[in-house]
Amino acid sequence: MAYKMKLHSPCRGMPHIWNISREVGVLVTAANTIDDVELVQRLIVERYKVAPSKTPRAPGIGSLTAVTGQMDTQTGFDIFWAGDVDKKLSAAEEISPARGGTISYGSGYWTIGYLNLKLFTHAPQVWAMLPELCSPILKMALLTKTSP
């Protein structure tokens, strides 16, 4: 179940992130639970509404617009697209939960942390009110389940 993870120290003013509980992505090992997939989709959709990508996509490759909670081809592509350019291909195929009360691990960001930071940077009000845009089950989880 997705949840709110408090950060040990705020990152650019962001006090917590909306975190997933298990991996989301195209690998067979990714759990792809409905609420985790929905959260990733919501972060991607809302971010691109306020800050479209500066890198154009090839013709015929759309952008994620529907939040369904189901892993599909477009969600998989957007997970890859959202991944850090320096990640190995295998690391770009899924999003792992952030751990340790931080949005980064050593030299890079957890992708879920990066998605939160991008939305927070470009639209802090949308980021803060994200649970209100989610399904009732995900909204309840984000508002009631918190990790220290």
Side-chain angles (χ1 to χ4, degrees):
M1 183 68 56
Y3 64 99
K4 177 169 68 173
M5 183 179 82
K6 292 182 182 178
L7 299 176
H8 290 302
S9 59
C11 179
R12 300 183 196 168
M14 185 174 61
H16 63 271
I17 65 168
W18 307 114
N19 202 7
I20 54 178
S21 60
R22 303 200 43 213
E23 287 77 13
V24 172
V26 299
L27 297 179
V28 70
T29 55
N32 291 326
T33 60
I34 292 171
D35 62 305
D36 286 339
V37 173
E38 180 186 344
L39 176 59
V40 168
Q41 290 173 331
R42 180 60 60 197
L43 285 166
I44 291 169
V45 166
E46 296 306 322
R47 179 267 168 109
Y48 286 121
K49 280 183 186 176
V50 297
S53 177
K54 294 178 183 171
T55 306
R57 295 183 181 191
I61 298 177
S63 295
L64 185 65
T65 56
V67 177
T68 64
Q70 300 297 313
M71 177 52 66
D72 56 20
T73 305
Q74 189 64 53
T75 302
F77 180 83
D78 274 289
I79 287 171
F80 176 77
W81 189 261
D84 189 349
V85 178
D86 295 327
K87 285 185 179 180
K88 296 177 186 170
L89 183 58
S90 62
E93 293 173 337
E94 70 179 9
I95 297 176
S96 298
R99 297 177 183 93
T102 180
I103 69 165
S104 62
Y105 57 92
S107 63
Y109 287 109
W110 297 106
T111 304
I112 192 72
Y114 175 79
L115 291 173
N116 273 269
L117 184 59
K118 283 304 223 179
L119 183 56
F120 179 81
T121 301
H122 293 287
Q125 307 86 354
V126 174
W127 175 84
M129 298 303 295
L130 194 78
E132 299 299 323
L133 302 173
C134 297
S135 68
I137 292 172
L138 179 55
K139 175 183 175 180
M140 182 67 70
L142 295 176
L143 294 177
T144 60
K145 187 176 177 189
T146 303
S147 75

